[in-house]
Amino acid sequence: MNIWTTVLKLVTAAMGSLGFSILFYLKPRRLPLATLGGFLSCGVYLLVQFFVGGELIPNLAGAFAGAIFSEIMARATKAPVPVYLLPCIIPLVPGGLLYRTMNHFIRGAYGQAGTYALTTLAVAVGIAGGIMAASVIGMLYAKVTLKISGGRKKEKQA
């Protein structure tokens, strides 16, 4: 893959995340982090796709990276995880594959439609798997830190 193609994909992923965040009224102070998350998840996807190929593993890795980023940023900024998770996942959503699947179904090319449908399913499973794995890690982290602190939340110093 050409370096300019990669840069273009990363920039459009970031802009897509930014546009999605603005469309859904994300607070302006959270826009840079949400945009960075979309850039990160797309970057991990492209990196893994370059080395591994396919669709399942790269989407799993991209979604995992975006979900871990979302968990960390949500804790750091005291915001709900979906505030950062949704903009991170937007660049991975298989819109083009869904379009091609439906287009081939409508035209009656069922063989090609089935191929695109399976690829779309692999992308969806990869995204869901990455989010689930990161969420489990986030929950385990929260439980471990709660046990270490003795069941008390940190008190703010006045």
Side-chain angles (χ1 to χ4, degrees):
M1 184 183 313
N2 184 328
I3 187 72
W4 294 112
T5 304
T6 304
V7 169
L8 182 63
K9 285 182 180 182
L10 290 171
V11 168
T12 56
M15 293 301 105
S17 294
L18 176 64
F20 181 83
S21 300
I22 291 169
L23 183 67
F24 286 95
Y25 301 109
L26 195 64
K27 291 183 180 176
R29 69 175 188 265
R30 294 193 175 126
L31 288 176
L33 289 175
T35 303
L36 178 64
F39 182 86
L40 172 76
S41 63
C42 185
V44 169
Y45 166 81
L46 291 172
L47 185 67
V48 173
Q49 190 179 45
F50 178 77
F51 287 109
V52 177
E55 289 296 329
L56 178 67
I57 302 300
N59 277 290
L60 183 104
F64 181 78
I68 289 291
F69 174 83
S70 300
E71 293 277 346
I72 293 168
M73 290 302 108
R75 283 180 173 75
T77 62
K78 295 181 173 59
V81 174
V83 165
Y84 295 107
L85 181 62
L86 294 175
C88 284
I89 299 306
I90 285 299
L92 303 177
V93 172
L97 286 171
L98 286 169
Y99 170 78
R100 288 186 195 101
T101 301
M102 295 311 298
N103 187 20
H104 287 298
F105 269 124
I106 290 169
R107 291 187 334 179
Y110 298 115
Q112 288 179 318
T115 302
Y116 281 117
L118 288 175
T119 305
T120 303
L121 182 64
V123 170
V125 167
I127 292 171
I131 292 170
M132 286 190 322
S135 295
V136 167
I137 290 171
M139 285 189 282
L140 289 175
Y141 175 78
K143 283 185 179 184
V144 167
T145 55
L146 190 63
K147 280 195 180 223
I148 290 173
S149 68
R152 299 180 305 265
K153 291 191 174 189
K154 293 181 183 177
E155 296 178 20
K156 290 186 178 181
Q157 299 289 337

